[in-house]
Amino acid sequence: MTESSATTVPPVLTLHNVRKTYRGREALKGISLELRPGELLGFFGPNGAGKTTMIRCISGLLKPDSGTITRHPFDHGDDDDPDNDEPIRLGLVPQNLAVYPDLTVQQNLEVFGRLEGVSGKALKHRINEVLEWAALKDRTRSLTKTLSGGMQRRLNIACSVLHDPDILLLDEPTVGVDPQSRERIYEMMQQLTADGAAVLLTTHQLEEVETRCDRIVVMDHGTIVADGTLSELVSRTIGQPHRVILKFDRPCSKPLAAFAFDEPRTTATCSLASMKELPQVLSVLKQLDQEPSRIDVRSYGLQDVFLELTGRSLRE
Amino acid sequence: MILTILRILFLRLRNNPLELVLVFVMPVVFFSIFAGIFSKGIATGSDKKLRVGWIAAHENALSLELRAFLEKNSTLQCSSLIAKPSLADLDDEAEEKSIAEIEIEATIAEAQRSGRYDLIIRLPDDFPTRLADSEDSAPCAVQLVTDGQNPMAVAMVTSVVRGFFAQKKAASAAEQLVSLSLAAQSSSGYGSPREPNASQYFDPVKDPSQVFGNDQDSRFIVTNSDGVNSVNGVSDVPKEWAIAPPKSVFTTEELLETELADKPESENDEAVSISVENPQAATQENPRIAMYAAGIAVLFLLFSSTGNAAALLEEAESGTLDRILVSQAGLFHIVSGKWLGILLLGCLQITVMFVWAELFFKIQLAKHIVGFCIMTFSTAAATASFAMLLATLCKSRAQLNAVSVVIILSMSAVGGSMIPRFAMSDRMKEIGRWTFNAWALDGYQKIFWFQSPLTSLQNEVAVLLGSSLVLGVLTLLFSGRWKRG
């Protein structure tokens, strides 16, 4: 999803100041966000941050104490008649394997398709599509419990897309799967977003959020502490995305352009907006009266943003 | 290392209260239930008595005496049945039987269906006012009407009734013997100032021939309790009393024994003729097997129903329920669908059991198919709702397993799936009324045992379907927790 389309396409889902007290604890403290078609939104946060509660609220399993969750009517047709707008179709992929282990792959897809109101030839056609999409075509008659963990995860997702949902909510969909299956799962999600679906996922996998998601929302203690693309988050929380750090054995007496020294002047740091600036910055090393004992060039990522925003104390 | 493994075992047990209940509480609960059934009945403090119904076409001195004798027996609880004209279907049988007979039979049938009696004693219209006057007289006819449930009842009551007539006969024989003795004494000077108290030993009898029959050739010497012999050749006794010269010398006790011992055993019992009738026997076949089938079927129905309902908990734990709730199926659809599935499986399960019983034990399923269908549907509906409510209230499958084992085994023990209800005390039977098993078994009993009309099932069906409705509504109310997480 491009930056421009993200702002021009109307949202399919809007949360406004959503609050929810769950099991005696205020799990959501005024959550507001928007989700747009074709967007892959990653929810990242420590355990107990409120991610699952938020997904349950969005899916309608929990009713917020206050605030609003709006699923905007979605125009699936070509005409402009607002009366043709259909209600938003929602798909949920729970954190656990929410399929019947004693049913075959085909049978699971059939029952969940029917529960979503798909039947007859449409269901048969859709099952074939989904089997291809999830790379499970050759295991249709296998009992689900005999599948590998990765296959079960893919089936778990496949069962939620049979009705071609406009919004797909995934609660940690890649837990416990091998890299190949994880790769395949993200390819599946990218195909969904390419087809116009809005995908919201929660995960603990930093790398997944950094590299796969169009937008990242960081949650902590029931609130959204950051929302944006990775570069936006880094620039907002840390500043420049790259940093050069020089270490000296003894205090450096000469000043160094663009670098800031700490006391007792054994460490110098310089932030970079782009890696292109690196040669120019490193050229100043010629001015030094001693060689640095160590040079670190570091790019900031989500973990730095996250730790910066949430601190280092353990949760739960 | 072994100690560490042992420690793990005990720590796990200690941290799992449900397992503790199963290990330590459940056996005690079951012991108490069975002890209650097999000992004195729960909280009644009295032994279980056989409940005997009493119905006589006409009461007379002998029947009242028999009735009083039965009432004195500590093992019996005797109560009268009053023939009700309204119960009799006069049109069909009026030509063959008297109206009174038809009314009595209808009353007996009603009493049996009520399940309040282990046995019914019926005295016919011609029940004599006194014991048979001679050996030519017909013995007193006593009819025991059983429903076949409690074979011990027939044996026990037969024994008691025979005991009564044996006593009567013995007393009568003794009276006759003494009377004969007195007559002989009077002719030989006994009863005179020499033996003024001889008559105090015995009551006079009217006719000594009752004791000795018509054997006019009998010749004997009677010795009274003081050892004084009467003598033969008495001139003023009737000819048939003529006493021949002694072949030997007997005491009165020996004489009585000899007289009785010389007769075949059957003749000793001639005073009473006991017939046992089972009105259903002519038209029923293997009703006991049908009851076993029902008992076992209901027990396993409860287990299988809770097992199927437990799928709801599994789905909740795995998140499948969340997925279904988010789909077009709402909570009502989910609960209703599960309930219907458990109901159908339950009906099928009971049907398989009864079809098997029909194939191999000939329980006449086809003859009672409508009643069977009604009871099976009602029972399955009640157990389905019960299972769904349990699953809705429990937090996990493990909890449901433990709770259901405790409840179902207790219900089955008290409700008659393990021990026939007729063997239970009244108090225990009342407690059993709080279980599905008891109502279901009572219904099946009416169908297969008493072959009652379908209208007689109204109480059982009303209770089972009513329970199903109430528990179903409670399930829907409590199932909201699935949505609340």
Side-chain angles (χ1 to χ4, degrees), chain A residues 71-100:
Chain A
R71 297 183 207 167
H72 301 283
F74 193 75
D75 183 8
H76 293 276
D78 295 330
D79 56 50
D80 296 330
D81 186 356
D83 292 339
N84 286 343
D85 287 354
E86 295 176 14
I88 285 288
R89 294 189 297 257
L90 191 88
L92 173 68
V93 183
Q95 187 172 346
N96 296 326
L97 288 169
V99 290
Y100 293 103

Side-chain angles (χ1 to χ4, degrees), chain B residues 438-454:
Chain B
W439 288 99
L441 294 183
D442 283 354
Y444 283 113
Q445 186 182 42
K446 285 182 177 176
I447 298 165
F448 286 96
W449 203 301
F450 299 128
Q451 305 181 71
S452 306
L454 295 177

Side-chain angles (χ1 to χ4, degrees), chain A residues 22-23 56 61-62 90 92 94 96 98-100 112 115-117 156 159-160, chain B residues 315 317-329 338 482-485:
Chain A
Y22 188 56
R23 292 179 177 168
R56 290 178 68 83
L61 291 169
L62 286 178
L90 191 88
L92 173 68
N96 296 326
V99 290
Y100 293 103
F112 284 111
L115 284 170
E116 291 292 359
N156 198 28
C159 287
S160 294
Chain B
E315 287 170 0
E317 287 166 10
S318 70
T320 311
L321 188 64
D322 283 352
R323 170 176 271 161
I324 299 173
L325 283 168
V326 169
S327 74
Q328 293 185 11
K338 295 271 179 198
W482 301 120
K483 288 200 81 169
R484 291 190 294 271

